Coordinates of all heavy atoms in Angstrom, one line a residue:
A7 N -4.5 -4.9 4.5 CA -5.6 -5.9 4.6 C -5.9 -6.1 6.1 O -7.1 -6.3 6.4 CB -5.1 -7.2 3.9
S8 N -5.0 -6.2 6.9 CA -5.3 -6.4 8.4 C -6.0 -5.2 8.9 O -7.0 -5.3 9.7 CB -3.9 -6.5 9.2 OG -3.2 -7.6 8.7
G9 N -5.6 -4.0 8.5 CA -6.3 -2.8 9.0 C -7.8 -2.7 8.4 O -8.7 -2.3 9.1
V32 N -13.8 1.6 23.3 CA -13.2 0.4 22.6 C -13.4 0.6 21.1 O -12.5 0.3 20.3 CB -13.8 -0.9 23.1 CG1 -13.4 -2.1 22.2 CG2 -13.4 -1.1 24.6
V46 N -0.9 4.5 7.0 CA 0.6 4.6 7.1 C 1.3 3.8 6.0 O 2.1 4.3 5.2 CB 1.1 4.3 8.5 CG1 2.6 4.3 8.5 CG2 0.6 5.3 9.5
M48 N 0.0 2.6 3.2 CA -0.4 3.1 1.9 C 0.4 4.4 1.5 O 0.7 4.6 0.4 CB -1.9 3.3 1.8 CG -2.4 3.6 0.4 SD -2.0 2.3 -0.7 CE -3.2 2.7 -2.0
E68 N -1.8 14.3 -4.8 CA -2.5 13.3 -4.0 C -3.2 13.9 -2.8 O -4.3 13.5 -2.4 CB -1.4 12.2 -3.5 CG -2.0 11.1 -2.8 CD -1.0 10.1 -2.3 OE1 0.1 10.6 -1.8 OE2 -1.3 8.9 -2.3
S88 N -30.2 10.6 8.7 CA -31.3 11.5 9.2 C -31.6 11.2 10.6 O -31.0 10.3 11.2 CB -32.6 11.1 8.4 OG -32.9 9.7 8.5
R90 N -34.0 10.4 13.7 CA -35.3 9.7 14.1 C -36.0 10.6 15.1 O -35.4 11.5 15.8 CB -35.0 8.3 14.7 CG -34.5 7.3 13.7 CD -34.3 6.0 14.4 NE -33.8 5.0 13.4 CZ -32.6 4.4 13.6 NH1 -31.9 4.6 14.7 NH2 -32.1 3.6 12.7
P91 N -37.3 10.3 15.4 CA -38.0 11.1 16.4 C -37.4 11.0 17.8 O -37.5 12.0 18.5 CB -39.4 10.5 16.4 CG -39.6 9.8 15.0 CD -38.2 9.4 14.6
D99 N -26.1 2.5 9.6 CA -25.6 1.2 9.1 C -25.3 1.3 7.6 O -24.4 0.7 7.1 CB -26.7 0.2 9.4 CG -28.1 0.5 8.9 OD1 -28.4 1.7 8.7 OD2 -28.8 -0.5 8.7
V114 N -7.6 -3.4 -2.2 CA -7.4 -4.0 -3.5 C -6.4 -3.0 -4.3 O -5.5 -3.5 -5.0 CB -8.7 -4.2 -4.3 CG1 -8.4 -4.6 -5.7 CG2 -9.5 -5.3 -3.6
L141 N 30.1 -3.6 -17.2 CA 31.4 -2.9 -16.8 C 32.4 -3.8 -16.3 O 33.6 -3.7 -16.6 CB 31.1 -1.7 -15.9 CG 30.4 -0.5 -16.4 CD1 30.0 0.4 -15.3 CD2 31.3 0.2 -17.4
A144 N 33.9 -6.1 -18.9 CA 34.8 -5.4 -19.8 C 36.1 -5.1 -19.2 O 37.1 -4.8 -19.9 CB 34.1 -4.2 -20.4
P146 N 39.6 -5.6 -17.8 CA 40.6 -6.7 -17.8 C 41.2 -7.0 -16.4 O 41.8 -8.1 -16.3 CB 41.7 -6.1 -18.7 CG 41.5 -4.7 -18.7 CD 40.1 -4.4 -18.4
L160 N 24.9 -7.8 -4.4 CA 23.6 -7.3 -4.9 C 22.5 -8.2 -4.4 O 21.4 -7.7 -4.1 CB 23.7 -7.2 -6.4 CG 24.6 -6.1 -7.0 CD1 24.7 -6.3 -8.5 CD2 24.0 -4.7 -6.6
D166 N 17.0 -12.2 -1.1 CA 17.0 -13.4 -1.9 C 15.7 -13.6 -2.7 O 15.7 -14.2 -3.7 CB 17.1 -14.7 -0.9 CG 18.5 -14.7 -0.3 OD1 19.5 -14.2 -1.0 OD2 18.7 -15.3 0.7
Q172 N 19.1 -15.2 -13.1 CA 18.7 -15.8 -14.3 C 17.5 -15.0 -15.0 O 17.6 -14.7 -16.1 CB 18.3 -17.2 -14.1 CG 19.4 -18.1 -13.5 CD 20.7 -18.1 -14.4 OE1 20.5 -18.2 -15.6 NE2 21.8 -18.0 -13.8
R175 N 12.3 -13.3 -12.1 CA 10.9 -13.5 -12.1 C 10.2 -13.4 -10.7 O 9.1 -13.1 -10.6 CB 10.6 -14.9 -12.6 CG 11.1 -16.0 -11.8 CD 10.8 -17.4 -12.4 NE 11.4 -18.5 -11.6 CZ 12.6 -18.9 -11.8 NH1 13.4 -18.3 -12.7 NH2 13.1 -19.8 -11.0

Side-chain angles (χ1 to χ4, degrees):
S8 300
V32 171
V46 172
M48 188 60 161
E68 183 182 42
S88 60
R90 293 185 183 118
D99 55 337
V114 170
L141 286 171
L160 290 169
D166 292 334
Q172 303 300 319
R175 68 181 173 274

